[in-house]
Amino acid sequence: MKKIVPLMLLALVLATSLRANPGFREDTVNWLKARGISPEGIVVIISMLPVIELRGAIPVGIFGFGFTWQKAALLSVFGNMLPIPLVLLFWESIVLLLRRTKRGARFVDWLYYRTKGRSKVIEKYEEIGLMLFVGIPLPGTGAWTGAFAANIIGLRFWKSLLFIFLGVLLAAAAVTILCQTGVLVFQI
């Protein structure tokens, strides 16, 4: 637990940096390359980051590293799902830790109201709504936000994990199709 919380906080800080710096994906790829991380590792790491998730990792894999769409999608789904059980299990601990500071409490309140406002479909349709919410490849609708919403609404762990996974598969299919049709293009 002592190692997990700082890693999750780092991920949240990185996600906040993304909002302030539109070139964050490219900067992240270049920073990871400079540290000798393999292209596969870079795709997995990028897909683990909140906000970017597999929506950014699949184009990096396909266009940045020349992976087949299958390899890029598989690595991205794997990476996107890695932090989700931890978010589902330790969300309450993370919230308590963040609420110890004024800035952390503001962030938690902002995240709660933002997620609550976007999670009407989850409240109405529960697990199927969670899957659709995560599966729509738009900003603010990924696995991280889905896990937060599942916690806020009080959905059970295993059902949440399953339907988030199904939503991640839907999002991966959508992003991969967008990349393959040329609608979504990215270069490093």
Side-chain angles (χ1 to χ4, degrees):
M1 179 70 169
K2 289 182 180 181
K3 292 181 181 180
I4 292 170
V5 172
L7 287 174
M8 293 180 86
L9 291 175
L10 175 62
L12 291 172
V13 168
L14 289 172
T16 304
S17 298
L18 172 67
R19 296 175 63 83
N21 178 3
F24 183 73
R25 180 174 51 193
E26 294 88 348
D27 294 345
T28 301
V29 170
N30 292 329
W31 186 82
L32 292 169
K33 273 185 180 179
R35 276 140 189 84
I37 297 175
S38 71
E40 292 83 0
I42 291 171
V43 170
V44 169
I45 290 168
I46 289 173
S47 65
M48 290 173 63
L49 295 174
V51 181
I52 301 176
E53 299 187 30
L54 61 73
R55 292 149 178 81
I58 289 174
V60 167
I62 292 172
F63 301 118
F65 296 119
F67 293 164
T68 64
W69 66 265
Q70 297 95 331
K71 182 176 182 177
L74 182 64
L75 289 169
S76 297
V77 168
F78 173 73
N80 201 180
M81 286 304 297
L82 273 177
I84 300 310
L86 300 174
V87 174
L88 289 169
L89 288 171
F90 298 114
W91 176 243
E92 293 300 321
S93 299
I94 294 167
V95 167
L96 290 174
L97 184 67
L98 287 172
R99 286 202 177 276
R100 290 183 181 175
T101 67
K102 191 174 185 176
R103 181 177 274 177
R106 279 196 315 240
F107 174 75
V108 169
D109 291 341
W110 170 81
L111 184 62
Y112 175 82
Y113 289 112
R114 180 178 176 267
T115 303
K116 188 78 169 161
R118 293 182 175 201
S119 61
K120 299 295 181 202
V121 70
I122 299 171
E123 288 183 66
K124 185 173 181 179
Y125 300 106
E126 294 186 345
E127 290 88 1
I128 298 296
L130 178 61
M131 178 184 71
L132 294 173
F133 180 83
V134 172
I136 298 170
L138 296 172
T141 63
W144 279 80
T145 310
F148 297 151
N151 273 308
I152 290 168
I153 295 167
L155 297 178
R156 298 175 72 162
F157 174 81
W158 288 109
K159 280 190 175 182
S160 296
L161 189 61
L162 172 63
F163 285 93
I164 288 170
F165 176 67
L166 294 173
V168 166
L169 291 177
L170 285 174
V175 172
T176 301
I177 289 168
L178 291 172
C179 289
Q180 293 301 103
T181 59
V183 174
L184 183 61
V185 178
F186 169 76
Q187 294 180 352
I188 299 174

